[in-house]
Amino acid sequence: MTLLSLEDATVSYGRDAPAALANASLEVNAGENLAIVGESGAGKSTILSLLLGLRAPTTGRVRYGDRPLARRDRTMMRAFRRDVQCVFQDPYASLDPRRRVAAIVGEPIRSLGIARGAARAERVGAALERVGLPADAAARFPHEFSGGQRQRIAIARAIVCEPRVLLADEPVSALDVTTRVRVVDLLAELVASSDMTLVMVSHDIGVVAELCERTIVLERGSIVERGATSDVLGAPRHPYTRKLMSAVPRLP
């Protein structure tokens, strides 16, 4: 079943500027882990903004299930916001330093009207436990945690309303190597133990190879290759994909 899709989506930021995304079509299917890879400027963030409903394409469509995503339809957007959540790249910038963790993680529940009071606190505690943080983390502020712990808080916020799709925007690129491995393992465990579908936006080929079964390659706003991750990374067909693979560090 297709949960999200783009149909010939083009995004242009100006009449004379090159398209940030050109005639892109893709499907996010239930139960799969999908990677979207490419260098900076390839169009990854533009696709992410479309899949999050933060931007409408200049031409083409975003579909939510079997219906076009209607950003002015409040009922649809409420269901969409519950079903589609995101973990952003920088754990130092994505958490409000003035709010306690309980308020940060509980914000999706509050804004979507899912639970109140003790029920909300219980769901926040359960989400923190799922990402490996102690219950007393709820009463603390973001500055009291390391970068890896902050990213766990961000993941807890994203999963607290039990979304169907988790979008991850370079979720480990701001972390050190050891912490990166732990967060990747956490994401793999969360997806494997639930019905969530993962869409990973990344330039990290190692993370993609570990987490995702299917990969889409972007170059300058165009999809140039797609397929099973083992095929795309193991036997790339497009010159740009081969260029990406040649840049991956290898042990001598």
Side-chain angles (χ1 to χ4, degrees):
M1 180 175 63
T2 300
L3 302 177
L4 279 175
S5 60
L6 302 183
E7 293 182 350
D8 294 321
T10 293
V11 174
S12 298
Y13 294 113
R15 180 179 300 177
D16 299 322
L21 191 68
N23 302 112
S25 296
L26 63 86
E27 294 181 346
V28 178
N29 299 313
E32 73 170 354
N33 294 344
L34 171 67
I36 301 172
V37 304
E39 297 172 302
S40 296
K44 303 189 302 298
S45 295
T46 301
I47 282 185
L48 187 73
S49 68
L50 295 177
L51 294 177
L52 280 171
L54 300 178
R55 155 185 309 280
T58 308
T59 61
R61 290 194 294 187
V62 181
R63 296 183 71 89
Y64 168 45
D66 59 358
R67 300 169 59 193
L69 183 64
R71 298 166 73 216
R72 295 183 180 181
D73 184 332
R74 292 188 177 184
T75 301
M76 173 183 279
M77 291 307 295
R78 180 174 290 270
F80 177 81
R81 296 293 177 216
R82 180 165 184 165
D83 280 349
V84 182
Q85 289 287 322
C86 186
V87 178
F88 295 98
Q89 178 175 359
D90 187 353
Y92 291 90
S94 64
L95 306 180
D96 187 340
R98 300 165 297 179
R99 306 184 76 192
R100 295 183 189 273
V101 168
I104 292 171
V105 175
E107 178 60 26
I109 299 174
R110 185 203 64 77
S111 63
L112 293 170
I114 296 172
R116 298 181 178 179
R120 185 192 304 172
E122 183 177 349
R123 292 188 68 145
V124 168
L128 291 173
E129 182 178 358
R130 285 190 72 190
V131 301
L133 291 173
D136 64 359
R140 296 158 64 186
F141 290 94
H143 74 267
E144 300 179 62
F145 297 89
S146 67
Q149 289 172 322
R150 292 187 196 200
Q151 197 63 307
R152 288 173 184 266
I153 294 168
I155 294 170
R157 177 178 59 188
I159 67 171
V160 72
C161 56
E162 299 178 356
R164 300 174 73 187
V165 180
L166 181 64
L167 303 176
D169 181 17
E170 303 276 12
V172 298
S173 64
L175 305 176
D176 63 67
V177 174
T178 302
T179 306
R180 184 178 305 182
V181 170
R182 292 171 181 164
V183 172
V184 168
D185 288 346
L186 171 62
L187 287 170
E189 179 184 338
L190 289 172
V191 172
S193 63
S194 69
D195 292 327
M196 280 191 301
T197 294
L198 177 68
V199 180
M200 170 78 71
V201 176
S202 183
H203 67 273
D204 190 322
I205 299 299
V207 171
V208 167
E210 183 169 348
L211 281 179
C212 301
E213 298 103 3
R214 192 160 65 91
T215 295
I216 289 172
V217 182
L218 277 173
E219 180 189 20
R220 297 180 181 178
S222 296
I223 295 175
V224 297
E225 189 161 355
R226 69 179 82 206
T229 298
S230 57
D231 294 335
V232 171
L233 302 186
R237 294 170 296 174
H238 194 274
Y240 178 73
T241 312
R242 292 197 289 269
K243 174 185 170 185
L244 287 180
M245 292 305 300
S246 69
V248 177
R250 289 176 170 80
L251 293 175

